[in-house]
Every structure is written in structure tokens, then in C-alpha cells.
Amino acid sequence: MKKLVISCIAMLAFSAGFAQTIEELKAEQAAKKDSIKAIQGRVNALQGKIDAFPGWKTGAFGTIGANLSKFNNWYSQGVPNNSSGNIGVTVNGFANLDREKFFWRNSGVVNLQWVKIDDKDDPTDEEGFTGTTDVFTVTSLYGYKLNSKFAISALGEYRTSIINNFNDPGYLDLGVGATWTPIKDMVVVIHPLNYNFVFADNDTAYESSAGAKIVVDYTKQLGAVSFKTNFSTFQSYKDGDLSNWTWINSFGYTLWKNIGVGFEFGLRGNKQEALANALAVEPAITPTPTFDNIDNDLQSYYLLGLNYSF
């Protein structure tokens, strides 16, 4: 009995000591976390001061997505022997110069995606990858500052595809007007004097014209989250059918050493492209497609995958 009592007392003492050690370790860990948080706060404050200095600022982030599969004798599906895949990559880059009297902002967006499905039992089908999403845009904006919020500005923006049909169509906007920067990281461009040059082999669907150019861009880095939204529209003075708009949104969340997950989606409305697509359908559509009898369906794409930034 005496030995049993001694054993119980020893076990209780050990448990109490162990619990005390755990509590001490947790307290020490909490103190370390507070120290890390304080150090990170000082680092962020210094980075903010660095970012506030005028001069060139550059950066880029993007998303890589891939999905590859292969089936052999998988009879439960309609194509039992096939290999398929989807590969996509986006890049968003910028190079901005900020001086006391002027600024020069440059940006580029590339989104390329390829897809394939190869039926091993059909020797006539395509074996390789085919380009699907194909977006290429470069923008350059120069502004002479009137004050901290407004500037007289000139803009050049070029949009096209690069996998297929390079510069067919291609769009080049050149114009002048004003730029408003209501808050940090947001730029609003309003150019009532703008000419939209359209380069295309199909003169029936595409036509250049003068009009107004409006661009709204917001790019932000909040800790591990990177975000960019860009809305660009051209409103033709000649005919509303010659107007167009594009809205692209990119998100990135860094998990480890500039690598994380990313998502991008884009929307576009362009009646000239809708008409060109309808005219290219074979066999030919009856009656012949025109601006008056076609639907300007909303264009869209998205990509989800591995994100990177540098």
C-alpha cells in the first residue's frame, strides 16, 4: 500500500511538472511570435518608405496552370484510349517611373493557353496542342502633373493575339487627355481625343475610327496577396458597333518563397470580332452576317493554377 501511494504521488508530481513545462514552452512561443510580428511590422514600415521614393518601380506576377491525363482501355467512357491536356500561363508585368513633375507607367499582360485531346483509336484527329486563350496587351502612359491628383497625359495601347492570327486583328490606341490618380495604386485615364487603329485582313468586319479612350487600372500588394484589375474601353464617335471593352482581373496568394496559388479571369465585348467570327463560319450562314443581325456575345476566359511573383 505504501509503495502504491508513493507511486501515485510520483506520477502526479511528474504530470504537474510536465504540464508546467508545456505552459512555459507555450508562453515562450507566444513571446517569440510577438517578437516576429514586431520585426515584420518594422520591415513593412521600411518597405513603405522605400516604395514612397520617386524613381523606377518594377515587378511581375503570374499564374501557371496545367492538367494532363492519359487513359488506356478505360471502357466506361466514350473514348477509352486517349491523352488530353490543358496548359496555361499568364504574366502581368510593370515598369513605372515617378518624378516630381511627370510619370511614365508601362505594363504588359500575356495570357496563353493550349488544349489537346488525342483519341488513340482515331488516326485522323489532332495529336498536338491547340492554342485557345490568346491575350497580349502592352500599355504606355505618360503624364505631366498639374497637381498630386491630375495630369495631362498621352496613352499608347496595343492589343492582339500572338499564338494564332498575330495582328489580325490588332488594335492600337493613341490618344491624349487627362489622368486622375484618386488614391495610391489606382489610375484613371480619360482621353476624349483618341484614334483606334485596327489592323486586320477582313475589311468587312473591322474598321478604324476616332473616339474616346477610358482606362481604369488598380494594382495592389497586401502582404501575401497580389491583385490587379484593368478595365479598358474604346467608344467610337463614328458608330457604336466599332466600340469595344476588355476587363482583366488577376489574383495571387503567396504561400512560400514567391510561390502560391493564382486565379485570372477576363471579359470582353467586341462586335467587330463577333462579326468576323460569324463571317468565317463554314458553311456560310444565311442570311449573310452583318452588324445588324448578329449577337455580340460576351467573351470570357479564366485560369486557375500555380502562382509566382518576382
Side-chain angles (χ1 to χ4, degrees):
M1 186 64 178
K2 183 177 179 181
K3 291 182 178 180
L4 180 60
V5 172
I6 294 173
S7 298
C8 290
I9 293 173
M11 290 179 63
L12 289 172
F14 176 78
S15 298
F18 182 74
Q20 184 180 7
T21 302
I22 289 294
E23 293 303 325
E24 290 175 350
L25 290 173
K26 288 183 178 180
E28 185 179 353
Q29 183 187 54
K32 297 293 185 183
K33 287 183 177 180
D34 289 340
S35 298
I36 293 173
K37 185 177 181 180
I39 293 171
Q40 187 61 53
R42 293 195 294 270
V43 171
N44 293 340
L46 290 172
Q47 186 62 51
K49 292 180 180 180
I50 293 172
D51 294 339
F53 272 91
W56 281 104
K57 303 291 189 301
T58 61
F61 71 95
T63 301
I64 299 175
N67 183 1
L68 304 175
S69 64
K70 184 175 183 180
F71 292 87
N72 292 313
N73 303 319
W74 198 264
Y75 298 116
S76 61
Q77 64 182 6
V79 184
N81 299 288
N82 76 81
S83 61
S84 62
N86 187 307
I87 300 173
V89 57
T90 70
V91 178
N92 294 273
F94 66 89
N96 300 329
L97 176 63
D98 188 16
R99 296 297 189 192
E100 181 181 358
K101 294 295 185 180
F102 70 92
F103 61 79
W104 185 21
R105 304 176 63 91
N106 304 276
S107 64
V109 176
V110 179
N111 185 312
L112 307 175
Q113 294 190 52
W114 298 265
V115 65
K116 82 162 184 175
I117 178 166
D118 178 20
D119 184 354
K120 301 299 183 181
D121 299 321
D122 183 2
T124 63
D125 73 342
E126 293 288 340
E127 295 184 3
F129 282 86
T130 301
T132 52
T133 303
D134 192 354
V135 178
F136 176 78
T137 303
V138 291
T139 303
S140 184
L141 174 68
Y142 176 86
Y144 181 81
K145 297 180 181 179
L146 300 177
N147 54 46
S148 61
K149 300 293 185 182
F150 290 94
I152 300 172
S153 56
L155 173 73
E157 181 185 82
Y158 178 68
R159 308 186 311 278
T160 187
S161 301
I162 55 179
I163 300 178
N164 299 309
N165 303 323
F166 176 73
N167 207 41
D168 184 23
Y171 305 91
L172 175 62
D173 280 292
L174 295 175
V176 294
T179 294
W180 177 40
T181 52
I183 60 175
K184 186 184 178 187
D185 303 315
M186 175 175 280
V187 178
V188 181
V189 179
I190 303 174
H191 285 180
L193 300 177
N194 184 89
Y195 199 84
N196 179 238
F197 296 91
V198 183
F199 310 99
D201 294 335
N202 189 343
D203 295 334
T204 304
Y206 295 103
E207 183 179 350
S208 303
S209 65
K213 183 71 174 181
I214 300 174
V215 178
V216 180
D217 185 275
Y218 183 70
T219 304
K220 189 68 175 179
Q221 178 81 35
L222 294 172
V225 178
S226 54
F227 169 77
K228 179 180 177 66
T229 181
N230 181 279
F231 177 80
S232 175
T233 181
F234 168 75
Q235 298 298 313
S236 175
Y237 294 145
K238 182 177 182 179
D239 193 322
D241 292 333
L242 305 181
S243 302
N244 61 76
W245 61 271
T246 302
W247 186 26
I248 297 177
N249 299 271
S250 303
F251 305 88
Y253 183 74
T254 302
L255 298 173
W256 177 76
K257 291 186 178 181
N258 297 334
I259 299 175
V261 293
F263 177 69
E264 177 171 303
F265 73 91
L267 302 173
R268 174 183 287 172
N270 191 318
K271 202 166 186 178
Q272 294 184 91
E273 292 179 352
L275 177 58
N277 183 71
L279 291 171
V281 172
E282 294 182 359
I285 300 174
T286 304
T288 302
T290 66
F291 281 124
D292 296 327
N293 63 16
I294 63 166
D295 294 325
N296 185 18
D297 294 331
L298 179 67
Q299 304 176 42
S300 65
Y301 73 85
Y302 75 88
L303 175 65
L304 175 66
L306 184 68
N307 176 265
Y308 59 90
S309 61
F310 53 90

